[in-house]
Amino acid sequence: MKKVNALILGLMALQLHAVAQAPQGGRPAGAGQQRPGGANMPQIGQIYGKLVDGQTKKGVEYASVALLRQKDSSVVTGMLSKPNGDFNLENLPFGPFLLRINFMGYNTIYKKVSVTPQAMSQDLGNIRMEPNAKALAEVEVTGQRSAFQMNIDKKVFNVDRNLTSVGGTATDVLKSVPSVNVDIDGNVQVRNSSPTIFVDGKPSTLSLDQIPADAIESVELITNPSAKYDAEGMSGILNIVLKKNKKAGFNGMVMGGIGTGDKYNAGGNINVRQGKVNVSANYNYNSNRNWGNGTTDRTNFAVPGASELNYINQNSDSRSGGVFQFGRIGLDYYLDNRNTISLTQNIVGGTFKNRETLGSIYLDENKDITRRNTRYSDNKFGFNNYTTTLGFKHLFAEPNKELTADVSMNKSSNNRNGGFSTQGEDLSGSPVGDRFVQSNYSKGNTDFYTFQADYVDPIGKTGKFEAGVKGTFRNYSSIYDVFDGNNNGKQRIDSLSNDYKYNEQIYAAYVNYSNAIKNFGYQVGLRAEQYVYAGEIPSEGMKFKPTKAVPGLFPSLYLSYKLEKEQELQLNYSRRVNRPNFFQLIPYRDFSDPLNHRQGNPNLKPEYTNSLEFSYMKTWKNHNFLGSLYYRNTNNLISTINEPIHAGTDTLLTTFVNANKNFSYGAELTMKNQIIKGWDITTNVNLYQTELQVRNAKENYTNRGFSWMAKINSETKLPANFTFQVTANYQAPAITLPAGSGGGRGGGGGFMMIPTSAQGTIRGLSSVDLALRKDFLKSKALTATLSLSDVFNTREFGMDQESPYFFQDMVRKRESRILRLNLSYRFGKFDAQLFKRRNNRSGGDNMQMDTGGGF
C-alpha cells in the first residue's frame, strides 16, 4: 500500500510539473513559444544520482525529483525515481537550479546545482533520505580553465591555453610546461633527471615528435608519484592526455597552418553524442623541414694505450624533413548512469628523410693536418603505430567509489634505408680516389600489451582505499644489415650488422590507504613489481637472460597538514627504479661511429632511487605559491667506461657497468599571479645541486656542480579579442650525467658519439617564444594564432667533456626561430535530440542551437 500511495503522490507531482510546462493560450509547443530557459539557452545538461534510505542504504523508489529555477522556483523538469533509486534528468539548459526531492515519510531535500559549459554532466552520487535531512552542499563549476593548475601532488598544464605550441608537436608543448626541460634533441628532464612519459596514462611506443600538439588536451606532471603509479622513472611521471570530447549534440573544429621553412599542418576533430552513444574522431597532418649544423673539436691525450697527442675537428651541416599523420577515433557507450564501455583506436604513421655532410680533419701534435675526409649521408625512415584500447568504468552509488578496467594493444613497426659515402681528400681538401660507399637497411617491430584494473572505495567521511593490478608485456625485434656499396651493394658486412630480439614483462599490484584526522592527512601505499627480461641474437645463436632483479617493493608515504588562511604542508617519500634498456643490455658491438664503439652488458642491474620531498602551498584570491625542497639518491648507478679498443688507436669503446651512486637536492618554486584582471604570469624556478660518484676497477672520479633553471609564462587578454603570450626559458650550465641516470645522449646526426662517462658541463641555454591570438566573429568561432619561437635565435646546445683519454668541445644548432600562422574554426550544435527530431512544421520541442564554435 505504501508503494501505491507513493506512486500516486509521484504522479500528482509530475502532473503539476506538466501543468507548469504547458504552453499558454492553447497554442502548440514550438509555435512561436520559447522553451523553458529562453530561446537562447542550449539544452544539453544532465544531472543524475541515486536516492537511498539513510538507515537501510536501499534505493528509494517512486520519490518525486523536480528541478526548479532558483530565481522563481518554477519547475523545469522532473521524474519519479526508479526501483533502485536512480534518477536521471536530461536535456537541461544552462543556469542555476534547485533540486527538490520529496517522498512520503522523508523530509524534503533541496540541493543547489548549476549547469554550465564546464559542468554539463553531474553525478550527485547517493543522496540519503532521512527524517532529519541536512542541507546538502552546492554543486557549481564555473569559469574558464586555468592554463596551469597547481596541486600539491600534481601539476596540470592545459594545452588548449598554450599558444606558442599551436601547429607543433608534443616536444613544443613540453617546452612551455613549468618544471620541464627539453634539449634540442627532444630529451626531456624534470629536476635534472628523466621522467617516465605516458600517453593517456599508459606507456607508448610513440616519440614526442610523433604526437601533434593540437591532439593534446593537457600534460600532467607528478614529481613524486604514490604507489598507485608505475615505479619506473627517476624524477616522476609526465602523462600526456589526448583530447576526447563528450559534449552533447555535435561539435568539432577544422584547422590549418603554415610556418617558415616549409612547415605545414592541418587537421580537425568532430564529436557526436546522442543518448547512450558518444563518437569522436580526430585527424592531424604535419609536414616540416629543418636544418642543423655544428662543430666538434677533440683533443686525444698521449696516455698509455692510446696514440700520441692529436686533434680531430668536425663540421656538420644537415637537412631533414618529413610527413606524419595522426588519427584517433573513439566510441563511448553508456550502459546506464554509472556504467560506460569505451573503445579507442589510434593510427599514426610517417616518413622522414635526412641528409648530412660531415667534414673531418685530423691533426698531429703540432696541429698540422695529417688527413681529412667528407662523409655524405642520406637516410629515409618510416614508421607505423596502431593502438587499440578497450575500457570499462563503473561508478558506484556512493560518491567517489568506482571500478575501472582496461586493456591496451599496441603494434608498431619502423624501417630505415640509406647509407653514406666517404670521400677521401688531400691536405687542401680536394677529392682523392674513389668514394667508399656503405648502405644499410634496418627494421624493427614492437608488440606492446597492457592491462590494468583499479578500485577506489571511500571509507568514512575522509578515508579512501585504493587497490589495483597491472600487467605490461613488450616483444621487440630488430634487424640491421650493412652492405659494402663498392661491391655492387650486395656484400653484407657482418662486423657492422646485427639482429636481436627481446621481451620484457612487468607484473604489478598496489594498495593505498589515505585518511585525515582534523587538519592532519596521511596516505600510505605499497607497490610490488616483478620484472622479467630475456633476449637473444638469432644470427649468432645466442640466448641470454641478464641478472634477474629481485621482485621489487616500492613504498610511498604522504603526510600533510592544513594551516589557516589556505596553507598546506606536505612531506612525501617514494622509492623508484630505473631499469637498463636493451641498448645497454644486449652484448653486441655498435660500430656505427668509427671513433666511438659501444657494447652492452647483459649483467647490468637496475638502479634504485629514493626520493624525499617537502612542500608548502599557499593560496590567495588571485595568487598561488608552491615551494618544494627535494632530495634524491640513486644506488647501483648505471654508468659507463670509455677506453681505447687497443693500444695505439684513437677509437674508444664505451661499455656499461653498475657503479656507485649519485645524489641531488634542490628547491623548486612555482608562483601563479594575476597581476591585473586579464594578465596572468606563471613563474617556475628550480635550483639544484648534483653529485656523481663513479668507483670501479678502471675509473675513479667525482663530478659535482650547482645549477638552476627558470621558466616564465605570461598571458595577457587585450582589447578586441586579442590574447598575447610570452614564454621565456633559461637553463644555467650543468654537469653531465651518465646514460641511464637521466642524461640524454647527445651527438647523433653523424657526429662522434658523446662518451657518456666523461666528466663534463653543458653550457647555458635560453630562448623566448611569443604568440598572438585573435578571435573573430560574434561567437569567437574563428581564431588566428601567430607565433614566433626562439625570438633571439639563442637555442643552441654546447658541451665540454674531459676524461683520462680526451678533451672534447661540441656546439650544435638546429632551426629554432620559426614563424607560424594557424587558423581554426569551431562549429557545432547544442542538440541533445540530434537523431530524434519530431517531424512537424515548427520543428517541435527539440530546440537546437548553432554554437558557431561555442564549445
Side-chain angles (χ1 to χ4, degrees):
M1 187 65 182
K2 180 178 179 181
K3 290 186 176 181
V4 174
N5 292 337
L7 179 60
I8 294 173
L9 289 174
L11 290 174
M12 291 176 63
L14 288 182
Q15 182 64 31
L16 291 174
H17 158 65
V19 172
Q21 294 286 79
Q24 301 299 313
R27 292 188 298 174
Q33 297 295 315
Q34 293 186 355
R35 290 178 56 109
N40 295 322
M41 293 293 288
Q43 301 204 348
I44 61 173
Q46 179 189 24
I47 295 173
Y48 58 93
K50 183 175 184 178
L51 306 181
V52 297
D53 185 284
Q55 297 178 353
T56 66
K57 302 297 190 295
K58 294 182 178 180
V60 178
E61 60 178 322
Y62 302 137
S64 172
V65 182
L67 191 69
L68 316 176
R69 293 186 184 85
Q70 282 192 25
K71 63 179 181 179
D72 57 10
S73 296
S74 59
V75 179
V76 177
T77 186
M79 66 172 293
L80 298 180
S81 60
K82 298 178 180 179
N84 65 349
D86 281 352
F87 66 90
N88 185 7
L89 305 178
E90 296 182 320
N91 307 333
L92 305 179
F94 292 161
F97 302 100
L98 195 63
L99 188 70
R100 184 184 65 198
I101 303 169
N102 54 26
F103 183 68
M104 183 178 63
Y106 294 93
N107 286 355
T108 301
I109 295 176
Y110 290 93
K111 183 178 180 69
K112 291 183 178 180
V113 296
S114 288
V115 179
T116 70
Q118 290 77 32
M120 290 188 295
S121 181
Q122 301 179 38
D123 184 356
L124 303 184
N126 276 11
I127 299 178
R128 299 175 59 176
M129 302 190 68
E130 299 177 344
N132 296 317
K134 297 181 180 179
L136 300 180
E138 178 179 356
V139 177
E140 185 170 4
V141 181
T142 59
Q144 185 183 35
R145 288 196 309 168
S146 171
F148 183 60
Q149 297 168 312
M150 289 193 302
N151 296 310
I152 205 158
D153 61 341
K154 180 168 66 175
K155 303 172 186 176
V156 181
F157 186 79
N158 295 310
V159 177
D160 56 356
R161 296 282 304 280
N162 179 37
L163 306 183
T164 58
S165 63
V166 174
T169 65
T171 302
D172 301 300
V173 171
L174 294 181
K175 290 176 183 177
S176 299
V177 176
S179 305
V180 178
N181 189 25
V182 183
D183 67 18
I184 65 172
D185 291 315
N187 298 311
V188 178
Q189 289 193 338
V190 174
R191 295 180 177 175
N192 202 36
S193 293
S194 298
T196 298
I197 298 179
F198 286 165
V199 176
D200 283 339
K202 303 175 184 65
S204 174
T205 57
L206 291 173
S207 69
L208 294 176
D209 284 334
Q210 295 169 359
I211 304 175
D214 301 302
I216 300 174
E217 174 78 17
S218 62
V219 176
E220 299 176 344
L221 173 61
I222 309 170
T223 54
N224 206 7
S226 70
K228 179 179 180 179
Y229 299 94
D230 287 5
E232 185 82 27
M234 292 181 63
S235 61
I237 293 174
L238 268 176
N239 183 33
I240 297 174
V241 181
L242 301 179
K243 291 180 178 177
K244 189 175 183 181
N245 203 334
K246 293 186 178 181
K247 297 184 175 73
F250 78 91
N251 61 92
M253 181 184 71
V254 292
M255 52 83 65
I258 186 172
T260 53
D262 291 331
K263 296 173 179 60
Y264 309 94
N265 63 280
N269 60 72
I270 189 169
N271 182 85
V272 179
R273 179 172 179 177
Q274 174 63 43
K276 293 187 175 183
V277 179
N278 181 78
V279 179
S280 60
N282 181 29
Y283 171 78
N284 292 90
Y285 170 90
N286 193 295
S287 172
N288 69 81
R289 298 180 185 274
N290 201 285
W291 57 260
N293 56 52
T295 61
T296 300
D297 297 319
R298 177 188 289 185
T299 300
N300 293 313
F301 301 140
V303 297
S307 63
E308 297 298 320
L309 177 69
N310 60 76
Y311 305 90
I312 305 173
N313 299 330
Q314 288 187 318
N315 288 275
S316 172
D317 182 79
S318 65
R319 296 292 183 273
S320 61
V323 172
F324 75 89
Q325 302 178 73
F326 181 99
R328 175 183 175 92
I329 186 168
L331 172 66
D332 298 291
Y333 182 72
Y334 304 94
L335 299 172
D336 52 39
N337 285 354
R338 295 192 171 95
N339 293 280
T340 305
I341 297 177
S342 300
L343 178 65
T344 303
Q345 178 68 56
N346 292 354
I347 303 176
V348 187
T351 303
F352 298 89
K353 296 181 179 180
N354 181 73
R355 293 182 177 180
E356 181 190 46
T357 301
L358 176 66
S360 299
I361 301 176
Y362 302 83
L363 307 94
D364 61 19
E365 59 183 349
N366 299 316
K367 294 192 175 181
D368 294 327
I369 300 176
T370 58
R371 61 188 176 95
R372 61 190 301 165
N373 61 58
T374 299
R375 187 170 74 176
Y376 304 91
S377 302
D378 191 350
N379 291 281
K380 181 178 180 180
F381 172 78
F383 73 94
N384 292 287
N385 190 292
Y386 308 92
T387 303
T388 305
T389 302
L390 178 65
F392 171 75
K393 186 172 186 178
H394 172 69
L395 301 176
F396 292 87
E398 296 87 342
N400 302 317
K401 183 178 180 179
E402 65 180 40
L403 172 67
T404 59
D406 62 69
V407 58
S408 178
M409 298 161 285
N410 175 271
K411 298 182 72 68
S412 64
S413 62
N414 63 78
N415 61 81
R416 185 186 299 270
N417 292 286
F420 65 86
S421 61
T422 303
Q423 176 64 64
E425 299 168 347
D426 61 22
L427 300 186
S428 65
S430 299
V432 175
D434 297 330
R435 291 188 179 186
F436 170 75
V437 181
Q438 181 176 297
S439 60
N440 58 67
Y441 168 79
S442 67
K443 66 177 181 179
N445 294 281
T446 302
D447 293 333
F448 197 9
Y449 307 95
T450 62
F451 74 85
Q452 183 169 353
D454 298 278
Y455 173 73
V456 181
D457 186 8
I459 298 176
K461 294 183 178 180
T462 58
K464 182 171 66 173
F465 173 78
E466 298 175 282
V469 294
K470 183 176 182 179
T472 302
F473 310 90
R474 183 199 299 262
N475 299 313
Y476 184 84
S477 63
S478 174
I479 297 176
Y480 178 66
D481 291 324
V482 180
F483 299 91
D484 182 356
N486 295 93
N487 189 22
N488 298 322
K490 295 182 179 180
Q491 182 175 345
R492 185 176 185 268
I493 306 176
D494 293 337
S495 62
L496 300 181
S497 304
N498 62 71
D499 63 335
Y500 52 86
K501 296 180 179 180
Y502 78 89
N503 61 78
E504 63 179 12
Q505 305 165 32
I506 303 176
Y507 303 92
Y510 75 90
V511 290
N512 264 340
Y513 178 73
S514 60
N515 212 327
I517 304 173
K518 295 184 178 181
N519 292 332
F520 174 73
Y522 62 91
Q523 175 183 286
V524 292
L526 180 65
R527 185 179 187 89
E529 290 191 353
Q530 172 63 59
Y531 178 69
V532 182
Y533 180 100
E536 61 178 302
I537 303 178
S539 61
E540 300 181 15
M542 295 177 57
K543 294 186 178 182
F544 61 93
K545 291 185 178 181
T547 300
K548 200 170 184 179
V550 176
L553 295 177
F554 303 95
S556 65
L557 174 66
Y558 281 68
L559 303 175
S560 64
Y561 188 78
K562 293 184 178 180
L563 304 173
E564 296 179 350
K565 299 180 180 179
E566 300 294 330
Q567 301 177 89
E568 184 172 351
L569 299 174
Q570 188 178 81
L571 177 68
N572 57 65
Y573 163 81
S574 68
R575 183 175 189 253
R576 303 190 62 75
V577 64
N578 185 58
R579 302 180 177 99
N581 60 46
F582 62 93
F583 286 118
Q584 297 166 332
L585 287 169
I586 293 183
Y588 76 88
R589 183 169 294 190
D590 182 358
F591 297 89
S592 58
D593 184 341
L595 295 178
N596 292 278
H597 296 178
R598 183 177 63 186
Q599 183 170 309
N601 176 7
N603 295 313
L604 281 179
K605 300 177 182 179
E607 55 186 36
Y608 294 94
T609 298
N610 295 288
S611 296
L612 187 67
E613 184 172 338
F614 175 74
S615 300
Y616 166 76
M617 187 173 184
K618 166 68 176 172
T619 301
W620 296 269
K621 182 178 180 180
N622 296 317
H623 309 281
N624 297 86
F625 171 76
L626 176 62
S628 299
L629 300 175
Y630 60 90
Y631 173 83
R632 183 175 61 240
N633 81 287
T634 301
N635 299 307
N636 289 341
L637 178 72
I638 298 177
S639 185
T640 51
I641 297 177
N642 300 126
E643 58 182 339
I645 59 174
H646 55 75
T649 180
D650 300 323
T651 301
L652 299 177
L653 173 64
T654 297
T655 56
F656 300 89
V657 296
N658 285 112
N660 301 85
K661 64 180 181 179
N662 86 305
F663 65 87
S664 64
Y665 55 88
E668 185 176 40
L669 311 174
T670 305
M671 176 73 82
K672 273 182 58 180
N673 303 96
Q674 185 182 84
I675 307 303
I676 58 175
K677 186 177 181 180
W679 182 18
D680 297 326
I681 292 181
T682 300
T683 306
N684 176 256
V685 179
N686 182 27
L687 309 104
Y688 56 91
Q689 173 77 20
T690 301
E691 181 167 325
L692 172 67
Q693 298 176 356
V694 177
R695 303 283 187 271
N696 53 57
K698 297 182 179 180
E699 291 188 326
N700 186 338
Y701 67 85
T702 298
N703 193 10
R704 62 169 62 94
F706 171 81
S707 186
W708 63 281
M709 64 167 288
K711 186 172 296 189
I712 299 177
N713 295 332
S714 171
E715 178 180 314
T716 308
K717 299 288 186 181
L718 301 175
N721 293 325
F722 279 98
T723 302
F724 179 62
Q725 280 189 0
V726 180
T727 300
N729 299 270
Y730 176 72
Q731 169 63 61
I735 68 170
T736 59
L737 294 176
S741 298
R745 291 192 64 84
F751 276 104
M752 295 181 289
M753 290 192 303
I754 297 176
T756 49
S757 68
Q759 297 188 58
T761 302
I762 299 173
R763 299 172 189 170
L765 178 69
S766 64
S767 64
V768 176
D769 302 332
L770 304 178
L772 182 68
R773 183 180 69 191
K774 165 68 174 175
D775 295 323
F776 298 91
L777 306 180
K778 185 177 181 180
S779 60
K780 300 181 182 180
L782 178 64
T783 299
T785 304
L786 183 67
S787 62
L788 178 62
S789 61
D790 196 10
V791 177
F792 304 105
N793 204 29
T794 54
R795 192 170 179 81
E796 179 180 273
F797 177 82
M799 184 168 65
D800 300 320
Q801 281 190 302
E802 184 173 2
S803 82
Y805 306 104
F806 68 90
F807 173 82
Q808 181 168 283
D809 171 85
M810 185 178 71
V811 177
R812 298 177 56 217
K813 182 80 174 76
R814 286 186 175 177
E815 183 181 12
S816 56
R817 185 160 58 185
I818 302 169
L819 181 67
R820 285 191 176 100
L821 175 64
N822 280 267
L823 298 176
S824 64
Y825 177 75
R826 295 174 295 279
F827 60 89
K829 288 184 181 295
F830 288 112
D831 189 356
Q833 300 291 328
L834 189 63
F835 304 115
K836 297 181 180 179
R837 309 196 177 197
R838 297 177 182 175
N839 187 17
N840 57 46
R841 270 184 304 181
S842 63
D845 289 340
N846 298 296
M847 184 195 76
Q848 50 184 296
M849 177 182 177
D850 190 341
T851 69
F855 288 91

